Amino acid sequence: MPAFSLEPAQTAWCAELRTLAAERLRPLAEQGEPGRVNRDLLAELGQLGLLKRLFDSGALDLCLLRESLAYACTEAETALALQGLGAHPVHAHGTPAQRARWLPGVTDGTAVAAFALTEPGAGSDAAALSLRADPDGTSRWRLTGEKCWISNAPEADFCTVFARTTPGAGARGVTAFLVPADRPGLTGAALDMLSPHPIGTLDFDGVPVTVDDVLGGVDRGFRVAMETLNLFRPSVGAFAVGMARAALDATLAHTSQRDAFGGKLRDLQTVAHQVAEMALRTDTARLAVLAAATAYDEGAPDVPKRAAMAKLLATETAQYVVDTAVQLHGARALSRGHLLEHLYREVRAPRIYEGATEVQRGIIAKELYKEFDR
């Protein structure tokens, strides 16, 4: 059986992306303000044609794109991913008018998107949403409630918002709405978080929406959310793999050059074994991510399980690899501005967002037992 490998064209594309990220995107990222949307960076992602790839590529290409950008510039990777997460429901479930209004701006970097699912009391349990969509005449609603820890909030130009249209119906009573940021009653505030990305709250005080703002049908929003997450969960794993590979390469260089105990740090068996473990876990996680993405592209029936496995394994692996890299570098890795200091702040959040590690284990177990529940 031949060993699994990417096509030469895919490998070359990944190398090109890493170079673009280092030479054209990282300088713009460094000029941005932490916690704010970097519109210059988004414009460059649009100019390079990378934002357009969010909508005309499959899951595997999305994973290769996110991994390659993450290796050289996590800010660029996340800016791109947040555009995709917020706008994918419009691309996949929007009306022709909705797509024509918003997607051109998303792909050229002039319209900022947000995916507004999480609430203060409903994070991992997405079916427990309490943001109300109260009827306001025929085919109209008013949104009342709060969303929290929303990426790109409150600066996004539009949000995909998930609200409860049928009380007491659980997942079956949620509707997705496309809500422009200039709607009356919609406000928000930035949150000061560990990672440098824009994250905030959104407050809805009777925000008006109509049937023209619905994505995917009334009371069918939970499906919109889950389909979006099934696509993006493996690519969250790809983001994590990109960070792990950057930390591993930095560690290989450091341990090969650092003098210690009459030799190089790499000559110490304990160090060499730790580096071997870092590489083993990183490569294993990468294979799981690429397998999940391929399954999605092929329409395999076990996508939810594979997506959860990929996201779980890759994010936990990246946490281990970055932490071990910091340990092997010593105090220098904790200096502000060091690559590993940056990765150490970046690597923690992916274990929580788009379904925490514990949620992924629950999804995997549920999918495994499905055949026994028939």
Side-chain angles (χ1 to χ4, degrees):
M1 178 182 293
F4 173 82
S5 64
L6 295 172
E7 296 292 334
Q10 293 172 312
T11 302
W13 183 54
C14 290
E16 179 185 353
L17 287 169
R18 290 193 295 271
T19 299
L20 285 174
E23 295 179 355
R24 295 183 58 172
L25 299 174
R26 189 189 300 157
L28 290 171
E30 292 172 348
Q31 295 169 17
E33 181 181 345
R36 299 293 304 275
V37 171
N38 188 332
R39 291 184 181 264
D40 290 339
L41 180 60
L42 280 173
E44 186 67 9
L45 285 166
Q47 180 68 30
L48 292 171
L50 299 182
L51 293 173
K52 187 174 184 295
R53 295 296 291 259
L54 290 167
F55 308 115
D56 60 14
S57 301
L60 179 58
D61 274 1
L62 176 60
C63 286
L64 297 178
L65 175 56
R66 292 190 67 176
E67 178 193 318
S68 302
L69 292 182
Y71 181 90
C73 182
T74 58
E75 294 92 340
E77 184 283 333
T78 302
L80 175 136
L82 297 182
Q83 287 288 84
L85 186 65
H88 177 77
V90 182
H91 168 71
H93 301 280
T95 65
Q98 290 169 332
R99 291 196 294 269
R101 169 66 182 88
W102 291 107
L103 293 185
V106 171
T107 57
D108 66 19
T110 59
V112 179
F115 185 81
L117 178 64
T118 305
E119 299 177 3
S124 297
D125 186 4
L129 298 179
S130 61
L131 179 74
R132 303 194 322 272
D134 298 319
D136 182 28
T138 304
S139 301
R140 299 177 66 89
W141 299 264
R142 287 192 176 271
L143 304 181
T144 302
E146 181 184 2
K147 295 291 183 179
C148 196
W149 303 296
I150 305 303
S151 296
N152 283 342
E155 298 180 69
D157 298 303
F158 73 94
C159 307
T160 298
V161 179
F162 299 87
R164 180 155 302 286
T165 39
T166 301
R172 294 182 176 86
V174 173
T175 300
F177 295 95
L178 192 165
V179 184
D182 59 1
R183 288 285 168 88
L186 177 57
T187 58
L191 294 172
D192 187 10
M193 305 291 286
L194 178 67
S195 65
H197 309 303
I199 301 174
T201 63
L202 293 172
D203 293 300
F204 298 81
D205 185 10
V207 175
V209 291
T210 74
V211 69
D212 293 333
D213 300 313
V214 171
L215 295 167
V218 176
D219 285 346
R220 301 186 69 184
F222 190 75
R223 179 176 64 89
V224 174
M226 293 305 104
E227 286 182 1
T228 302
L229 293 175
N230 281 338
L231 169 61
F232 277 86
R233 274 175 178 154
S235 69
V236 174
F239 171 41
V241 168
M243 289 190 286
R245 293 184 73 186
L248 174 60
D249 284 355
T251 302
L252 287 168
H254 173 70
T255 55
S256 294
Q257 298 163 5
R258 180 80 159 93
D259 293 321
F261 305 103
K264 300 298 182 184
L265 200 55
R266 60 181 284 184
D267 298 329
L268 299 175
Q269 187 181 67
T270 54
V271 171
H273 285 187
Q274 283 180 290
V275 173
E277 183 70 17
M278 293 164 68
L280 170 66
R281 296 195 191 192
T282 299
D283 278 9
T284 302
R286 189 170 194 246
L287 287 171
V289 166
L290 299 182
T294 301
Y296 184 97
D297 287 340
E298 294 177 350
D302 59 348
V303 166
K305 181 187 73 174
R306 285 181 176 274
M309 285 182 167
K311 201 260 187 186
L312 168 62
L313 178 60
T315 55
E316 293 291 329
T317 292
Q319 180 78 57
Y320 166 82
V321 171
V322 172
D323 185 72
T324 304
V326 169
Q327 193 72 17
L328 292 176
H329 276 73
R332 73 189 66 211
L334 301 178
S335 302
R336 184 71 69 179
H338 192 282
L339 169 66
L340 291 175
E341 180 268 338
H342 174 76
L343 293 178
Y344 202 73
R345 288 186 289 114
E346 289 273 24
V347 79
R348 188 60 183 86
R351 293 171 62 205
I352 297 174
Y353 63 63
E354 295 187 38
T357 288
E358 294 75 16
V359 171
Q360 304 310 317
R361 290 194 174 102
I363 292 170
I364 294 164
K366 179 182 177 182
E367 293 296 316
L368 288 171
Y369 282 112
K370 264 186 175 179
E371 63 180 273
F372 294 95
D373 296 332
R374 294 170 183 167

